[in-house]
Amino acid sequence: MEKTDICTIEHSVIIVNGKTVFESQNGTFSDFAKEAYKNSGIIYPKFHKMDNLSKLAFLAAETLLKDKDNSKTALVFANRSSSLDTDFKYQESINSQENYFPSPAVFVYTLPNICVGEISIRHQMQTENAFFVLDEFDEDFLNEYSRQLLLSGRAEKVLCGWVELYRESYKAFVYLLTL
């Protein structure tokens, strides 16, 4: 298998194939994500409704998939904390309501699969996707899973990687794999 493109996002910097393509001085992830989105020229209004994990995955995916036919691209992501960041926000919305009316807008994002769904919809992907929750980044596991997808003919490419976000700690390391 061959890695054709790599994107890393952390500490308010987006790096693609070893080159910094965007850097921000904003301190919070939320501010950084808004600025990165605006700077990218992407027009996808649903971005503003996404939770932070989805925004991180979306920005990483967009840098590698933008302006390409991705109908035969599969997604294989993993992280450690699943959607815990959003789960806490959902719990806070419950706690802050006297009549126990949590926000359905937050609830929607309490599964890590939502971020791969957002990417699949945006890029009209018609292939497999998976989101694993692992103790640590296991590139061998993700690559072997991706290799099986490629060998089976279910996908021509796989966007693969680690997308971790909890509070203000975040890192995306995603890459495209082909045979």
Side-chain angles (χ1 to χ4, degrees):
M1 284 189 308
E2 177 185 356
K3 283 184 189 174
T4 60
D5 292 296
I6 300 170
C7 175
T8 304
I9 301 176
E10 66 181 328
H11 308 300
S12 300
V13 178
I14 301 175
I15 299 170
V16 177
N17 298 327
K19 296 180 182 177
T20 300
V21 297
F22 180 76
E23 188 169 0
S24 173
Q25 300 305 312
N26 280 320
T28 68
F29 174 78
S30 184
D31 290 341
F32 161 73
K34 286 177 195 170
E35 189 177 345
Y37 172 84
K38 188 176 181 179
N39 183 70
S40 72
I42 301 166
I43 299 173
Y44 193 69
K46 287 174 61 179
F47 178 84
H48 303 290
K49 295 180 181 183
M50 293 179 194
D51 72 319
N52 284 339
L53 177 64
S54 295
K55 286 179 180 178
L56 177 63
F58 184 90
L59 288 169
E62 194 67 21
T63 62
L64 300 184
L65 301 176
K66 189 174 170 181
D67 302 325
K68 297 176 185 168
D69 176 9
N70 295 294
S71 61
K72 293 287 193 174
T73 302
L75 293 170
V76 178
F77 284 171
N79 77 3
R80 174 178 307 150
S81 59
S82 186
S83 58
L84 192 56
D85 185 71
T86 304
D87 293 341
F88 275 125
K89 289 178 182 165
Y90 181 68
Q91 183 62 47
E92 288 171 358
S93 78
I94 291 171
N95 295 343
S96 68
Q97 302 290 331
E98 288 182 15
N99 297 322
Y100 184 77
F101 292 113
S103 169
V106 175
F107 177 75
V108 150
Y109 288 97
T110 58
L111 297 170
N113 287 343
I114 296 299
C115 70
V116 293
E118 291 285 1
I119 295 165
S120 294
I121 292 166
R122 163 75 170 159
H123 293 282
Q124 300 176 352
M125 295 173 165
Q126 300 168 9
T127 58
E128 306 284 327
N129 69 58
F131 198 114
F132 297 99
V133 179
L134 307 170
D135 286 335
E136 59 188 21
F137 177 57
D138 187 343
E139 189 169 6
D140 291 337
F141 171 78
L142 295 176
N143 288 352
E144 180 58 26
Y145 190 91
S146 298
R147 187 173 79 77
Q148 293 301 322
L149 289 173
L150 293 167
L151 290 174
S152 73
R154 291 184 198 143
E156 294 173 359
K157 300 180 283 186
V158 178
L159 183 64
C160 188
W162 184 257
V163 184
E164 172 66 20
L165 182 135
Y166 181 69
R167 302 292 185 188
E168 288 302 318
S169 176
Y170 61 92
K171 180 176 185 172
F173 173 72
V174 300
Y175 49 95
L176 274 170
L177 288 175
T178 61
L179 284 179

PDB file of all heavy atoms in Angstrom, residues 62-90:
ATOM      1  N   GLU A  62     -11.195  17.267   4.400  1.00  0.00           N
ATOM      2  CA  GLU A  62     -11.378  18.246   3.326  1.00  0.00           C
ATOM      3  C   GLU A  62     -10.051  18.617   2.674  1.00  0.00           C
ATOM      4  O   GLU A  62      -9.984  18.794   1.461  1.00  0.00           O
ATOM      5  CB  GLU A  62     -12.079  19.488   3.878  1.00  0.00           C
ATOM      6  CG  GLU A  62     -12.606  20.414   2.825  1.00  0.00           C
ATOM      7  CD  GLU A  62     -13.750  19.836   2.005  1.00  0.00           C
ATOM      8  OE1 GLU A  62     -14.422  18.903   2.445  1.00  0.00           O
ATOM      9  OE2 GLU A  62     -13.977  20.351   0.886  1.00  0.00           O
ATOM     10  N   THR A  63      -8.995  18.718   3.464  1.00  0.00           N
ATOM     11  CA  THR A  63      -7.693  19.091   2.891  1.00  0.00           C
ATOM     12  C   THR A  63      -7.181  18.038   1.925  1.00  0.00           C
ATOM     13  O   THR A  63      -6.460  18.372   0.981  1.00  0.00           O
ATOM     14  CB  THR A  63      -6.631  19.335   3.989  1.00  0.00           C
ATOM     15  OG1 THR A  63      -6.436  18.128   4.717  1.00  0.00           O
ATOM     16  CG2 THR A  63      -7.028  20.455   4.913  1.00  0.00           C
ATOM     17  N   LEU A  64      -7.562  16.775   2.119  1.00  0.00           N
ATOM     18  CA  LEU A  64      -7.067  15.704   1.254  1.00  0.00           C
ATOM     19  C   LEU A  64      -8.056  15.278   0.171  1.00  0.00           C
ATOM     20  O   LEU A  64      -7.653  14.723  -0.850  1.00  0.00           O
ATOM     21  CB  LEU A  64      -6.686  14.475   2.093  1.00  0.00           C
ATOM     22  CG  LEU A  64      -5.592  14.701   3.133  1.00  0.00           C
ATOM     23  CD1 LEU A  64      -5.255  13.386   3.824  1.00  0.00           C
ATOM     24  CD2 LEU A  64      -4.340  15.312   2.524  1.00  0.00           C
ATOM     25  N   LEU A  65      -9.327  15.532   0.375  1.00  0.00           N
ATOM     26  CA  LEU A  65     -10.349  15.045  -0.562  1.00  0.00           C
ATOM     27  C   LEU A  65     -10.931  16.121  -1.463  1.00  0.00           C
ATOM     28  O   LEU A  65     -11.614  15.806  -2.434  1.00  0.00           O
ATOM     29  CB  LEU A  65     -11.498  14.391   0.223  1.00  0.00           C
ATOM     30  CG  LEU A  65     -11.133  13.220   1.121  1.00  0.00           C
ATOM     31  CD1 LEU A  65     -12.363  12.743   1.893  1.00  0.00           C
ATOM     32  CD2 LEU A  65     -10.508  12.096   0.326  1.00  0.00           C
ATOM     33  N   LYS A  66     -10.681  17.356  -1.141  1.00  0.00           N
ATOM     34  CA  LYS A  66     -11.280  18.494  -1.840  1.00  0.00           C
ATOM     35  C   LYS A  66     -11.048  18.407  -3.352  1.00  0.00           C
ATOM     36  O   LYS A  66      -9.953  18.113  -3.799  1.00  0.00           O
ATOM     37  CB  LYS A  66     -10.654  19.774  -1.279  1.00  0.00           C
ATOM     38  CG  LYS A  66     -11.292  21.043  -1.738  1.00  0.00           C
ATOM     39  CD  LYS A  66     -10.665  22.195  -0.973  1.00  0.00           C
ATOM     40  CE  LYS A  66     -11.053  23.523  -1.505  1.00  0.00           C
ATOM     41  NZ  LYS A  66     -10.419  24.601  -0.757  1.00  0.00           N
ATOM     42  N   ASP A  67     -12.118  18.643  -4.090  1.00  0.00           N
ATOM     43  CA  ASP A  67     -12.075  18.720  -5.550  1.00  0.00           C
ATOM     44  C   ASP A  67     -11.656  17.422  -6.231  1.00  0.00           C
ATOM     45  O   ASP A  67     -11.053  17.442  -7.310  1.00  0.00           O
ATOM     46  CB  ASP A  67     -11.170  19.868  -6.013  1.00  0.00           C
ATOM     47  CG  ASP A  67     -11.606  21.218  -5.477  1.00  0.00           C
ATOM     48  OD1 ASP A  67     -12.827  21.434  -5.339  1.00  0.00           O
ATOM     49  OD2 ASP A  67     -10.728  22.049  -5.177  1.00  0.00           O
ATOM     50  N   LYS A  68     -11.956  16.278  -5.633  1.00  0.00           N
ATOM     51  CA  LYS A  68     -11.646  14.982  -6.238  1.00  0.00           C
ATOM     52  C   LYS A  68     -12.909  14.129  -6.246  1.00  0.00           C
ATOM     53  O   LYS A  68     -13.828  14.352  -5.465  1.00  0.00           O
ATOM     54  CB  LYS A  68     -10.560  14.254  -5.430  1.00  0.00           C
ATOM     55  CG  LYS A  68      -9.232  14.961  -5.400  1.00  0.00           C
ATOM     56  CD  LYS A  68      -8.256  14.223  -4.514  1.00  0.00           C
ATOM     57  CE  LYS A  68      -6.963  15.013  -4.392  1.00  0.00           C
ATOM     58  NZ  LYS A  68      -6.106  14.489  -3.344  1.00  0.00           N
ATOM     59  N   ASP A  69     -12.924  13.113  -7.096  1.00  0.00           N
ATOM     60  CA  ASP A  69     -14.007  12.125  -7.069  1.00  0.00           C
ATOM     61  C   ASP A  69     -13.690  11.153  -5.942  1.00  0.00           C
ATOM     62  O   ASP A  69     -12.701  10.437  -5.991  1.00  0.00           O
ATOM     63  CB  ASP A  69     -14.090  11.385  -8.400  1.00  0.00           C
ATOM     64  CG  ASP A  69     -15.135  10.274  -8.389  1.00  0.00           C
ATOM     65  OD1 ASP A  69     -15.923  10.178  -7.418  1.00  0.00           O
ATOM     66  OD2 ASP A  69     -15.165   9.494  -9.352  1.00  0.00           O
ATOM     67  N   ASN A  70     -14.522  11.138  -4.926  1.00  0.00           N
ATOM     68  CA  ASN A  70     -14.291  10.300  -3.757  1.00  0.00           C
ATOM     69  C   ASN A  70     -15.371   9.238  -3.571  1.00  0.00           C
ATOM     70  O   ASN A  70     -15.497   8.668  -2.496  1.00  0.00           O
ATOM     71  CB  ASN A  70     -14.201  11.178  -2.501  1.00  0.00           C
ATOM     72  CG  ASN A  70     -13.005  12.084  -2.568  1.00  0.00           C
ATOM     73  OD1 ASN A  70     -11.882  11.633  -2.554  1.00  0.00           O
ATOM     74  ND2 ASN A  70     -13.253  13.383  -2.677  1.00  0.00           N
ATOM     75  N   SER A  71     -16.127   8.966  -4.627  1.00  0.00           N
ATOM     76  CA  SER A  71     -17.220   8.002  -4.504  1.00  0.00           C
ATOM     77  C   SER A  71     -16.710   6.611  -4.139  1.00  0.00           C
ATOM     78  O   SER A  71     -17.422   5.836  -3.511  1.00  0.00           O
ATOM     79  CB  SER A  71     -18.050   7.955  -5.786  1.00  0.00           C
ATOM     80  OG  SER A  71     -17.241   7.558  -6.882  1.00  0.00           O
ATOM     81  N   LYS A  72     -15.479   6.282  -4.486  1.00  0.00           N
ATOM     82  CA  LYS A  72     -14.898   4.969  -4.172  1.00  0.00           C
ATOM     83  C   LYS A  72     -13.831   5.067  -3.089  1.00  0.00           C
ATOM     84  O   LYS A  72     -12.913   4.255  -3.024  1.00  0.00           O
ATOM     85  CB  LYS A  72     -14.293   4.349  -5.438  1.00  0.00           C
ATOM     86  CG  LYS A  72     -15.307   3.974  -6.478  1.00  0.00           C
ATOM     87  CD  LYS A  72     -16.062   2.758  -6.034  1.00  0.00           C
ATOM     88  CE  LYS A  72     -16.868   2.175  -7.172  1.00  0.00           C
ATOM     89  NZ  LYS A  72     -17.478   0.924  -6.798  1.00  0.00           N
ATOM     90  N   THR A  73     -13.936   6.073  -2.220  1.00  0.00           N
ATOM     91  CA  THR A  73     -13.009   6.235  -1.098  1.00  0.00           C
ATOM     92  C   THR A  73     -13.703   5.794   0.186  1.00  0.00           C
ATOM     93  O   THR A  73     -14.801   6.247   0.484  1.00  0.00           O
ATOM     94  CB  THR A  73     -12.557   7.707  -0.966  1.00  0.00           C
ATOM     95  OG1 THR A  73     -11.949   8.125  -2.194  1.00  0.00           O
ATOM     96  CG2 THR A  73     -11.566   7.874   0.173  1.00  0.00           C
ATOM     97  N   ALA A  74     -13.054   4.905   0.920  1.00  0.00           N
ATOM     98  CA  ALA A  74     -13.576   4.450   2.206  1.00  0.00           C
ATOM     99  C   ALA A  74     -12.971   5.296   3.325  1.00  0.00           C
ATOM    100  O   ALA A  74     -11.946   5.952   3.130  1.00  0.00           O
ATOM    101  CB  ALA A  74     -13.231   2.982   2.415  1.00  0.00           C
ATOM    102  N   LEU A  75     -13.592   5.254   4.494  1.00  0.00           N
ATOM    103  CA  LEU A  75     -13.102   5.973   5.670  1.00  0.00           C
ATOM    104  C   LEU A  75     -12.831   4.978   6.789  1.00  0.00           C
ATOM    105  O   LEU A  75     -13.704   4.173   7.122  1.00  0.00           O
ATOM    106  CB  LEU A  75     -14.140   6.984   6.162  1.00  0.00           C
ATOM    107  CG  LEU A  75     -14.442   8.164   5.263  1.00  0.00           C
ATOM    108  CD1 LEU A  75     -15.652   8.917   5.794  1.00  0.00           C
ATOM    109  CD2 LEU A  75     -13.251   9.078   5.192  1.00  0.00           C
ATOM    110  N   VAL A  76     -11.648   5.076   7.395  1.00  0.00           N
ATOM    111  CA  VAL A  76     -11.303   4.245   8.544  1.00  0.00           C
ATOM    112  C   VAL A  76     -10.609   5.152   9.550  1.00  0.00           C
ATOM    113  O   VAL A  76      -9.451   5.536   9.369  1.00  0.00           O
ATOM    114  CB  VAL A  76     -10.392   3.058   8.156  1.00  0.00           C
ATOM    115  CG1 VAL A  76     -10.023   2.248   9.393  1.00  0.00           C
ATOM    116  CG2 VAL A  76     -11.069   2.181   7.116  1.00  0.00           C
ATOM    117  N   PHE A  77     -11.330   5.534  10.598  1.00  0.00           N
ATOM    118  CA  PHE A  77     -10.806   6.436  11.615  1.00  0.00           C
ATOM    119  C   PHE A  77     -10.787   5.743  12.969  1.00  0.00           C
ATOM    120  O   PHE A  77     -11.507   4.766  13.192  1.00  0.00           O
ATOM    121  CB  PHE A  77     -11.676   7.688  11.738  1.00  0.00           C
ATOM    122  CG  PHE A  77     -11.517   8.702  10.636  1.00  0.00           C
ATOM    123  CD1 PHE A  77     -12.381   9.767  10.552  1.00  0.00           C
ATOM    124  CD2 PHE A  77     -10.523   8.604   9.679  1.00  0.00           C
ATOM    125  CE1 PHE A  77     -12.261  10.728   9.572  1.00  0.00           C
ATOM    126  CE2 PHE A  77     -10.380   9.556   8.680  1.00  0.00           C
ATOM    127  CZ  PHE A  77     -11.256  10.615   8.635  1.00  0.00           C
ATOM    128  N   ALA A  78     -10.013   6.317  13.870  1.00  0.00           N
ATOM    129  CA  ALA A  78      -9.980   5.836  15.248  1.00  0.00           C
ATOM    130  C   ALA A  78      -9.642   7.002  16.163  1.00  0.00           C
ATOM    131  O   ALA A  78      -9.091   8.021  15.723  1.00  0.00           O
ATOM    132  CB  ALA A  78      -8.941   4.724  15.409  1.00  0.00           C
ATOM    133  N   ASN A  79      -9.975   6.845  17.434  1.00  0.00           N
ATOM    134  CA  ASN A  79      -9.528   7.763  18.474  1.00  0.00           C
ATOM    135  C   ASN A  79      -9.640   7.085  19.828  1.00  0.00           C
ATOM    136  O   ASN A  79     -10.051   5.926  19.916  1.00  0.00           O
ATOM    137  CB  ASN A  79     -10.271   9.109  18.420  1.00  0.00           C
ATOM    138  CG  ASN A  79     -11.678   9.072  18.978  1.00  0.00           C
ATOM    139  OD1 ASN A  79     -12.157   8.066  19.489  1.00  0.00           O
ATOM    140  ND2 ASN A  79     -12.367  10.191  18.880  1.00  0.00           N
ATOM    141  N   ARG A  80      -9.268   7.787  20.866  1.00  0.00           N
ATOM    142  CA  ARG A  80      -9.277   7.231  22.215  1.00  0.00           C
ATOM    143  C   ARG A  80     -10.556   7.566  22.973  1.00  0.00           C
ATOM    144  O   ARG A  80     -11.088   6.747  23.690  1.00  0.00           O
ATOM    145  CB  ARG A  80      -8.080   7.770  23.005  1.00  0.00           C
ATOM    146  CG  ARG A  80      -8.104   7.341  24.489  1.00  0.00           C
ATOM    147  CD  ARG A  80      -6.902   7.824  25.237  1.00  0.00           C
ATOM    148  NE  ARG A  80      -5.731   7.391  24.481  1.00  0.00           N
ATOM    149  CZ  ARG A  80      -4.582   8.027  24.445  1.00  0.00           C
ATOM    150  NH1 ARG A  80      -4.410   9.111  25.151  1.00  0.00           N
ATOM    151  NH2 ARG A  80      -3.583   7.590  23.726  1.00  0.00           N
ATOM    152  N   SER A  81     -11.032   8.781  22.831  1.00  0.00           N
ATOM    153  CA  SER A  81     -12.112   9.227  23.716  1.00  0.00           C
ATOM    154  C   SER A  81     -13.493   9.211  23.071  1.00  0.00           C
ATOM    155  O   SER A  81     -14.434   9.764  23.643  1.00  0.00           O
ATOM    156  CB  SER A  81     -11.799  10.611  24.268  1.00  0.00           C
ATOM    157  OG  SER A  81     -11.637  11.536  23.222  1.00  0.00           O
ATOM    158  N   SER A  82     -13.606   8.572  21.911  1.00  0.00           N
ATOM    159  CA  SER A  82     -14.887   8.477  21.229  1.00  0.00           C
ATOM    160  C   SER A  82     -15.482   9.883  21.106  1.00  0.00           C
ATOM    161  O   SER A  82     -14.808  10.788  20.637  1.00  0.00           O
ATOM    162  CB  SER A  82     -15.812   7.521  21.990  1.00  0.00           C
ATOM    163  OG  SER A  82     -17.003   7.296  21.310  1.00  0.00           O
ATOM    164  N   SER A  83     -16.710  10.075  21.548  1.00  0.00           N
ATOM    165  CA  SER A  83     -17.350  11.390  21.487  1.00  0.00           C
ATOM    166  C   SER A  83     -17.490  11.995  22.883  1.00  0.00           C
ATOM    167  O   SER A  83     -18.397  12.771  23.144  1.00  0.00           O
ATOM    168  CB  SER A  83     -18.724  11.267  20.832  1.00  0.00           C
ATOM    169  OG  SER A  83     -19.527  10.362  21.566  1.00  0.00           O
ATOM    170  N   LEU A  84     -16.563  11.662  23.777  1.00  0.00           N
ATOM    171  CA  LEU A  84     -16.660  12.074  25.175  1.00  0.00           C
ATOM    172  C   LEU A  84     -16.781  13.588  25.341  1.00  0.00           C
ATOM    173  O   LEU A  84     -17.526  14.072  26.189  1.00  0.00           O
ATOM    174  CB  LEU A  84     -15.467  11.544  25.966  1.00  0.00           C
ATOM    175  CG  LEU A  84     -15.546  11.628  27.481  1.00  0.00           C
ATOM    176  CD1 LEU A  84     -16.778  10.921  28.009  1.00  0.00           C
ATOM    177  CD2 LEU A  84     -14.288  11.026  28.098  1.00  0.00           C
ATOM    178  N   ASP A  85     -16.072  14.347  24.532  1.00  0.00           N
ATOM    179  CA  ASP A  85     -16.148  15.809  24.612  1.00  0.00           C
ATOM    180  C   ASP A  85     -17.589  16.282  24.419  1.00  0.00           C
ATOM    181  O   ASP A  85     -18.103  17.073  25.204  1.00  0.00           O
ATOM    182  CB  ASP A  85     -15.226  16.438  23.559  1.00  0.00           C
ATOM    183  CG  ASP A  85     -15.173  17.941  23.659  1.00  0.00           C
ATOM    184  OD1 ASP A  85     -14.584  18.447  24.644  1.00  0.00           O
ATOM    185  OD2 ASP A  85     -15.721  18.624  22.769  1.00  0.00           O
ATOM    186  N   THR A  86     -18.238  15.765  23.404  1.00  0.00           N
ATOM    187  CA  THR A  86     -19.629  16.138  23.135  1.00  0.00           C
ATOM    188  C   THR A  86     -20.575  15.527  24.157  1.00  0.00           C
ATOM    189  O   THR A  86     -21.562  16.156  24.549  1.00  0.00           O
ATOM    190  CB  THR A  86     -20.030  15.711  21.714  1.00  0.00           C
ATOM    191  OG1 THR A  86     -19.108  16.298  20.797  1.00  0.00           O
ATOM    192  CG2 THR A  86     -21.428  16.174  21.366  1.00  0.00           C
ATOM    193  N   ASP A  87     -20.265  14.329  24.628  1.00  0.00           N
ATOM    194  CA  ASP A  87     -21.094  13.707  25.664  1.00  0.00           C
ATOM    195  C   ASP A  87     -21.152  14.586  26.914  1.00  0.00           C
ATOM    196  O   ASP A  87     -22.209  14.745  27.515  1.00  0.00           O
ATOM    197  CB  ASP A  87     -20.558  12.322  26.028  1.00  0.00           C
ATOM    198  CG  ASP A  87     -20.682  11.321  24.898  1.00  0.00           C
ATOM    199  OD1 ASP A  87     -21.481  11.552  23.974  1.00  0.00           O
ATOM    200  OD2 ASP A  87     -19.961  10.308  24.936  1.00  0.00           O
ATOM    201  N   PHE A  88     -20.006  15.160  27.283  1.00  0.00           N
ATOM    202  CA  PHE A  88     -19.986  16.062  28.441  1.00  0.00           C
ATOM    203  C   PHE A  88     -20.825  17.310  28.181  1.00  0.00           C
ATOM    204  O   PHE A  88     -21.547  17.768  29.061  1.00  0.00           O
ATOM    205  CB  PHE A  88     -18.556  16.464  28.818  1.00  0.00           C
ATOM    206  CG  PHE A  88     -17.886  15.471  29.720  1.00  0.00           C
ATOM    207  CD1 PHE A  88     -16.673  14.924  29.359  1.00  0.00           C
ATOM    208  CD2 PHE A  88     -18.445  15.094  30.931  1.00  0.00           C
ATOM    209  CE1 PHE A  88     -16.034  14.001  30.181  1.00  0.00           C
ATOM    210  CE2 PHE A  88     -17.821  14.181  31.763  1.00  0.00           C
ATOM    211  CZ  PHE A  88     -16.617  13.628  31.380  1.00  0.00           C
ATOM    212  N   LYS A  89     -20.740  17.847  26.979  1.00  0.00           N
ATOM    213  CA  LYS A  89     -21.547  19.023  26.653  1.00  0.00           C
ATOM    214  C   LYS A  89     -23.038  18.682  26.698  1.00  0.00           C
ATOM    215  O   LYS A  89     -23.846  19.493  27.154  1.00  0.00           O
ATOM    216  CB  LYS A  89     -21.150  19.575  25.289  1.00  0.00           C
ATOM    217  CG  LYS A  89     -19.797  20.227  25.315  1.00  0.00           C
ATOM    218  CD  LYS A  89     -19.387  20.733  23.960  1.00  0.00           C
ATOM    219  CE  LYS A  89     -17.986  21.327  24.089  1.00  0.00           C
ATOM    220  NZ  LYS A  89     -17.362  21.538  22.825  1.00  0.00           N
ATOM    221  N   TYR A  90     -23.376  17.506  26.247  1.00  0.00           N
ATOM    222  CA  TYR A  90     -24.767  17.065  26.304  1.00  0.00           C
ATOM    223  C   TYR A  90     -25.224  16.957  27.758  1.00  0.00           C
ATOM    224  O   TYR A  90     -26.303  17.434  28.120  1.00  0.00           O
ATOM    225  CB  TYR A  90     -24.920  15.724  25.583  1.00  0.00           C
ATOM    226  CG  TYR A  90     -26.330  15.201  25.571  1.00  0.00           C
ATOM    227  CD1 TYR A  90     -27.327  15.847  24.839  1.00  0.00           C
ATOM    228  CD2 TYR A  90     -26.676  14.062  26.271  1.00  0.00           C
ATOM    229  CE1 TYR A  90     -28.620  15.375  24.824  1.00  0.00           C
ATOM    230  CE2 TYR A  90     -27.978  13.582  26.257  1.00  0.00           C
ATOM    231  CZ  TYR A  90     -28.941  14.240  25.527  1.00  0.00           C
ATOM    232  OH  TYR A  90     -30.226  13.769  25.508  1.00  0.00           O
TER     233      TYR A  90
END
